[in-house]
Amino acid sequence: MRPAKDNKKRRARQEDPHARSRRQANYIRLLEFVVAAIILTAGIYWQLYPELYMLMVALLLGYPLVAQSIAYTLERKGRRQQEAHRILVQVDAVLIGLTIAALHFSLIPSLALLIIVHANAVSSGGIRPWLLNILLTGTGCLAGWFIFDGQVLAPEATPVLLNLLSMVGLGIYVGGSSLYVLNQTRNVRLAQAYLARQQKQAMDLSRKLAKYLPPQIWGQLFSGKRDAKLETRRKRLTVFFSDIKGFSNISEDLPLDQLTRLLNSYLNEMTRIALRYGGTIDKFIGDAVMVFFGDPVSKGSKEDAFNCVAMAVDMQRQMKLLRQRWEREGITQKLEIRIGINSGYVTVGNFGADSRMDYTILGTDVNLASRLESQARPGRILISEATWELVKDRVICRNMGEVEVKGFNRPIPVYEVQELKEDAAGRDKFVSVRTEGFALHLDVRRIRNFDRDRILRALAATARDLRRDATLVRDTEAEGFALHVDRARLRDKDLGKVIEIMGKAAQRIRKEVVI
């Protein structure tokens, strides 16, 4: 017996909530007209009204079934459930008006029916449906006045039992409608909880998917600005390629878990820098990184090219911090990245099949950026003449002449990036000092204000402990800052210079990083 009950409950939970709400509304309508029919039948029984009025009782009992069919018909014609319900509530008002006239306007029964029909109207739609309900109730009363010969039953002529029965019917209806409202409220809460769970699942899924897409594309897809369909366009972009020189050799010597940590830490830092400058990360190919600027969001060809070069400079600086971290993990090889940058017209968009596509770029100028990367010296940035023309006013470059590039019939003029002009005007913004047992890398512009005091405390404590602790080993990292000290390896003749460097670094941080 219990399994049958459990199956019944399970089916109730799985039932369409709209169908359940519609069925409950029909029950309330049926209760409304059953109360009206009982009151009128009691009056006929006590011979207040002629037996012919039993036709009106039949109408009151049959109408809810007809109303249910009307609701289904309206919904099939495209009317929403709530709209169909409002129409039927107005039909209810006309019938209740006829019933009040059939009761010969007996005071207590009429008031009970008026309360029922108008409470239903207010709960169904608010003030406007209620005002219309009043008008239609009056219309029903007026029509009933002519149908039932305009008779009026005096209050003192109404039996007490009929009045009592009317109040009991009103109470039953109020209880039933309250239960209906309670169920509706519960359904709304369940629906809200379900929507909240669905939204959370969608957000969790979107966060996971976002890791496989450039954030610019992810944002446009979810905002509806871009559609996931096969389409491409020609556009002027600046393209970036980089790889780690000698990574293939080191990958053969390192344990797999250590190699994985190294590569992931490198790609994580490069990705963070690329996103900070607004680059669109196309793909990772082992240790190689491909980024482009100018799509889906562009700040103009010159600004896109400059942001790409500034990103490359920042990446080269970050490699110094990464090498220091890797050395502490036992990786002694001097890993350096080569970078190639080119600007030109490429084909950008979604390539592939309807079921699997890739947002990427194609074209000769993409290939040239890749070739320049392979031609660059380790730790250097090589750019094409097209990129140099866009950034020459803001970037100091060295003319490297022309190079033979595979796949191109003519030599390609190239330039090597030295530094940004804004950095040359304030060279003390970035500091990179390295000697045996000591390394300090400082980029004042990137230090976060909430890291300021921690960095200053680390510099002060290190300078204080260097003189008296022969075994001091200290490593401190923060955004834009890295410090490594190994007193056992630090030469005595460098001790004073190292303390002086840390003092100057602390002064710059106090001056430039404001809380």
Side-chain angles (χ1 to χ4, degrees), residues 235-262:
K235 198 170 183 181
R236 191 179 188 187
L237 306 180
T238 296
V239 187
F240 165 102
F241 278 89
S242 72
D243 76 341
I244 302 176
K245 177 64 175 176
F247 183 80
S248 298
N249 295 330
I250 192 176
S251 63
E252 298 175 359
D253 301 330
L254 290 178
L256 184 58
D257 57 343
Q258 190 176 20
L259 177 66
T260 301
R261 287 197 304 272
L262 182 148

Side-chain angles (χ1 to χ4, degrees), residues 51-68:
E51 292 184 357
L52 185 62
Y53 284 15
M54 288 300 294
L55 294 175
M56 186 66 191
V57 173
L59 176 62
L60 293 174
L61 294 176
Y63 166 70
L65 300 177
V66 176
Q68 184 176 357

Side-chain angles (χ1 to χ4, degrees), residues 125-144:
I127 299 299
R128 286 189 177 183
W130 175 57
L131 294 176
L132 180 59
N133 198 265
I134 292 175
L135 177 62
L136 292 175
T137 304
T139 303
C141 290
L142 183 62

Side-chain angles (χ1 to χ4, degrees), residues 16-26 81 180 184 187:
D16 180 9
H18 294 293
R20 185 166 59 250
S21 176
R22 184 169 56 239
R23 190 180 68 249
Q24 291 174 350
N26 288 331
Q81 176 187 347
Y180 169 69
Q184 290 290 90
N187 290 338

Side-chain angles (χ1 to χ4, degrees), residues 198-215 217-219 221-223:
Q198 292 292 99
Q199 288 175 343
K200 185 178 184 303
Q201 291 176 1
M203 288 300 297
D204 291 342
L205 179 59
S206 67
R207 290 191 190 100
K208 293 176 182 177
L209 291 175
K211 296 181 180 180
Y212 294 91
L213 292 171
I217 298 300
W218 176 84
L221 283 173
F222 277 83
S223 65

Side-chain angles (χ1 to χ4, degrees), residues 6-272:
D6 292 342
N7 291 335
K8 186 175 181 181
K9 291 180 180 179
R10 191 179 299 111
R11 286 195 300 270
R13 287 194 298 266
Q14 294 174 349
E15 184 181 5
D16 180 9
H18 294 293
R20 185 166 59 250
S21 176
R22 184 169 56 239
R23 190 180 68 249
Q24 291 174 350
N26 288 331
Y27 289 158
I28 294 301
R29 175 171 288 105
L30 178 62
L31 179 60
E32 175 182 354
F33 285 93
V34 165
V35 170
I38 289 174
I39 294 173
L40 184 56
T41 302
I44 296 172
Y45 176 77
W46 285 314
Q47 299 181 354
L48 293 175
Y49 313 114
E51 292 184 357
L52 185 62
Y53 284 15
M54 288 300 294
L55 294 175
M56 186 66 191
V57 173
L59 176 62
L60 293 174
L61 294 176
Y63 166 70
L65 300 177
V66 176
Q68 184 176 357
S69 300
I70 293 173
Y72 285 135
T73 302
L74 290 174
E75 288 183 33
R76 281 198 300 269
K77 290 183 178 181
R79 298 292 184 93
R80 294 178 303 170
Q81 176 187 347
Q82 188 68 15
E83 185 178 355
H85 180 63
R86 288 178 181 176
I87 293 173
L88 290 175
V89 165
Q90 305 309 332
V91 178
D92 296 348
V94 175
L95 284 178
I96 293 298
L98 287 172
T99 306
I100 291 172
L103 291 170
H104 297 169
F105 300 97
S106 181
L107 182 61
I108 301 300
S110 297
L111 286 176
L113 294 181
L114 284 173
I115 292 173
I116 289 174
V117 72
H118 293 309
N120 196 14
V122 172
S123 63
S124 298
I127 299 299
R128 286 189 177 183
W130 175 57
L131 294 176
L132 180 59
N133 198 265
I134 292 175
L135 177 62
L136 292 175
T137 304
T139 303
C141 290
L142 183 62
W145 174 272
F146 293 104
I147 294 173
F148 300 110
D149 297 330
Q151 297 185 46
V152 177
L153 187 65
E156 60 273 10
T158 305
V160 175
L161 288 178
L162 183 62
N163 292 334
L164 182 60
L165 181 64
S166 300
M167 298 309 296
V168 170
L170 175 61
I172 293 174
Y173 176 81
V174 170
S177 60
S178 299
L179 181 61
Y180 169 69
V181 171
L182 178 63
N183 287 333
Q184 290 290 90
T185 303
R186 185 183 295 115
N187 290 338
V188 169
R189 289 175 180 172
L190 290 174
Q192 289 175 338
Y194 176 75
L195 282 175
R197 289 195 301 271
Q198 292 292 99
Q199 288 175 343
K200 185 178 184 303
Q201 291 176 1
M203 288 300 297
D204 291 342
L205 179 59
S206 67
R207 290 191 190 100
K208 293 176 182 177
L209 291 175
K211 296 181 180 180
Y212 294 91
L213 292 171
Q216 301 93 330
I217 298 300
W218 176 84
Q220 291 195 351
L221 283 173
F222 277 83
S223 65
K225 295 180 180 179
R226 178 183 290 267
D227 195 9
K229 60 182 179 180
L230 296 173
E231 60 178 4
T232 60
R233 57 195 175 279
R234 292 282 291 175
K235 198 170 183 181
R236 191 179 188 187
L237 306 180
T238 296
V239 187
F240 165 102
F241 278 89
S242 72
D243 76 341
I244 302 176
K245 177 64 175 176
F247 183 80
S248 298
N249 295 330
I250 192 176
S251 63
E252 298 175 359
D253 301 330
L254 290 178
L256 184 58
D257 57 343
Q258 190 176 20
L259 177 66
T260 301
R261 287 197 304 272
L262 182 148
L263 183 59
N264 286 341
S265 64
Y266 166 73
L267 294 177
N268 185 62
E269 292 295 330
M270 298 303 107
T271 297
R272 191 165 53 85

